[in-house]
Amino acid sequence: MLNTTAWNRFRYSAYAPLYDVMVARALRRPRRIALGQIDWEPGMRVLLVGAGTGLDLPFLPRELEIHLTDLTPAMLKRANARAERYQRDVNCQVMDASALAFTDEHFDVVIMHLILAVMPYPERGLSEAYRVLKPGGQLCVLDKFQPDHQQTGSVRRAANIVTSLIATDITRQATPLLQQAGFYIRHDEPVLMNGLFRALIAGK
């Protein structure tokens, strides 16, 4: 298997200095759309899983308790610097999304942007997200997904060997993954590249 946790840690450490240049502008609008679908309330406890360099921070309301986790210290270092620039009080921790060090039902909102298509076992990450969410909590997902009704063809499978190695899996389907973890989907919206990128809000 080419996509492993160790490989992801290595490659995103290498990508960290260039990450913002590569993705910040292209995904600004999709991030705004995804986060705008959340029913925000002051005082919410929010977890950003796989937060990367903190590109979601500018789009989060004030008066939240914000926790950021990422597998890669180099990415979190930049996230912490971004939080300081935007004068956001955040708690950053290096953590594997498939083994979150938080108690059950701890968060009102969990945000998983551009991580489910990267993790070697996304079902484990979603299981952890479900565990740490309070009943009635909201899961916000932004990622690349194959259409739920479409079977993976040979060309896509071949391309996925390369894309998984350098960036992301392109064969995963959102609805089966979320439903298997126990979530119900409240909203599902295509946001980029003819629907390859989708923004979803799911509830527990």
Side-chain angles (χ1 to χ4, degrees):
M1 183 178 183
L2 297 175
N3 184 2
T4 66
T5 298
W7 173 241
N8 284 336
R9 183 183 290 110
F10 172 79
R11 64 182 170 130
Y12 278 97
S13 295
Y15 295 164
L18 298 174
Y19 188 81
D20 288 359
V21 174
M22 293 187 294
V23 306
R25 185 172 182 178
L27 292 173
R28 185 179 295 127
R29 179 176 175 273
R31 288 180 193 276
R32 184 183 294 112
I33 292 172
L35 295 169
Q37 296 172 355
I38 298 173
D39 297 326
W40 294 109
E41 295 181 12
M44 279 180 160
R45 185 177 290 156
V46 181
L47 173 64
L48 282 74
V49 182
T53 62
L55 290 172
D56 290 311
L57 287 174
F59 308 111
L60 296 178
R62 298 280 175 173
E63 302 180 4
L64 301 174
E65 179 184 324
I66 301 175
H67 298 256
L68 278 66
T69 70
D70 199 272
L71 188 65
T72 310
M75 299 289 270
L76 275 187
K77 180 180 179 180
R78 287 163 173 77
N80 197 54
R82 175 168 275 109
E84 291 180 0
R85 288 200 303 273
Y86 284 94
Q87 298 182 325
R88 305 301 299 260
D89 184 15
V90 303
N91 177 24
C92 295
Q93 298 184 65
V94 176
M95 201 176 295
D96 187 340
S98 64
L100 298 174
F102 298 106
T103 58
D104 295 356
E105 302 180 359
H106 191 68
F107 293 97
D108 300 289
V109 176
V110 173
I111 297 167
M112 302 184 81
H113 285 182
L114 308 178
I115 181 173
L116 291 179
V118 172
M119 295 182 68
Y121 301 103
E123 62 276 7
R124 296 180 186 175
L126 284 169
S127 177
E128 280 291 271
Y130 190 89
R131 179 184 66 80
V132 302
L133 260 182
K134 297 177 181 178
Q138 302 169 82
L139 172 70
C140 180
V141 171
L142 169 65
D143 223 319
K144 300 160 289 296
F145 294 107
Q146 178 177 308
D148 295 329
H149 62 274
Q150 184 183 90
Q151 292 190 349
T152 305
S154 58
V155 173
R156 196 178 191 114
R157 283 196 300 271
N160 192 58
I161 296 173
V162 177
T163 61
S164 293
L165 179 64
I166 63 174
T168 185
D169 193 297
I170 58 172
T171 66
R172 294 175 180 172
Q173 296 174 308
T175 299
L177 280 171
L178 291 170
Q179 290 180 345
Q180 181 182 353
F183 291 102
Y184 66 92
I185 297 173
R186 285 179 15 197
H187 187 76
D188 182 352
E189 181 175 345
V191 291
L192 192 66
M193 295 181 66
N194 294 319
L196 175 64
F197 285 81
R198 286 156 60 189
L200 301 97
I201 293 291
K204 176 177 178 177

